[in-house]
Amino acid sequence: MERDVDTGSAHSARIYDYIIGGADHYPADREAGDAMVREWPALPVHMRANRDFMNRAVRHLAEKAGVRQFLDIGTGIPTSPNIHEIAQSVSPDARVVYVDNDPLVLRLSQGLLNGTPEGRTSYIEADMRDPASILEAPELRATLDLTRPVALLVIAIVHFMTDEDDAVGIVRRLLDPLPSGSHLAMSIGTAEFAPDEVGRVAREYAARGMPMRLRTFAEAAEFFTGLEVVEPGIVQVHKWHPDGSGTEVVRDADIAMYGVVGRKP
């Protein structure tokens, strides 16, 4: 049974959608987004840079690493180009599993399932905090071959996981069943470049029931223990394999995300 969408409370995925110029949000999300942008006017630049990082990472993994399978945790509101569109533009037989626990994302998920005839996409409604519900989902096993490399994507989500959630342990449990040659791609929230501004944005999220856990460089590196980190390493998202396609001038102080990709040996 499809859960009702709570339109009276702001939701992180819908705030993100609003700030990057999407259309699937409600008054509570717009109020929250406007309040956050007042605290940090660079927030839209930061969020678009995060989305651009994800797109570049997917293309890099498909083109350079030959990955044909993707598991996207915390998908959020569908926004073209979606992961399957990028991956299947490189290799039409690419397969993608999307995972989210927001009922609005489920309602809009048909936009994530219109892939190529050669490929396959599926959607799992599950919470990242319960890795077994993802790994044991029949949709996962029907879509991905876990004897072949998979790219695990955890984009802009772990900063909404507190210490008691054990984000590092959860990511590790999701990565453990994946074979050698698999990759982990993450963007990880940090306050190291604009501490005052990001701290104020974090307070706005917390005031709406979404506490944040921002991480240092060393804490971001913990997710990649035992993995072969792909060059250029752990960097702000706008510095990870920039392709010159962006039209905005992005300052380091405008970005509060580390971007990193690692390979499982």
Side-chain angles (χ1 to χ4, degrees), residues 9-165:
S9 301
H11 187 283
S12 59
R14 300 196 303 263
I15 295 169
Y16 183 86
D17 179 73
Y18 170 59
I19 290 176
I20 67 171
D24 297 298
H25 40 73
Y26 298 97
D29 309 303
R30 296 191 285 273
E31 182 277 329
D34 289 342
M36 293 168 187
V37 172
R38 283 195 297 272
E39 295 294 348
W40 190 28
L43 187 58
V45 175
H46 156 82
M47 288 186 168
R48 287 191 292 267
N50 174 74
R51 182 80 188 188
D52 290 343
F53 160 75
M54 182 188 76
N55 294 349
R56 293 196 308 276
V58 170
R59 182 167 295 279
H60 178 94
L61 289 166
E63 287 184 344
K64 306 298 184 183
V67 176
R68 297 294 178 261
Q69 303 188 108
F70 297 81
L71 174 57
D72 179 45
I73 307 296
T75 295
I77 307 296
T79 303
S80 188
N82 291 293
I83 289 169
H84 70 278
E85 294 171 318
I86 297 170
Q88 291 176 352
S89 73
V90 176
S91 180
D93 63 346
R95 298 182 171 207
V96 179
V97 173
Y98 294 103
V99 180
D100 208 294
N101 67 341
D102 178 0
L104 180 61
V105 178
L106 173 62
R107 186 175 296 178
L108 298 171
S109 63
Q110 189 58 43
L112 301 171
L113 304 178
N114 297 322
T116 60
E118 302 94 329
R120 185 178 298 175
T121 65
S122 61
Y123 180 87
I124 300 171
E125 186 179 21
D127 193 319
M128 179 182 178
R129 294 173 179 83
D130 182 9
S133 68
I134 299 170
L135 295 171
E136 296 171 6
E139 296 91 343
L140 181 98
R141 302 288 172 161
T143 307
L144 304 182
D145 176 359
L146 297 188
T147 67
R148 297 172 55 228
V150 175
L152 173 63
L153 309 175
V154 184
I155 304 298
I157 186 170
V158 295
H159 54 272
F160 291 115
M161 303 179 74
T162 61
D163 287 341
E164 66 183 24
D165 292 320

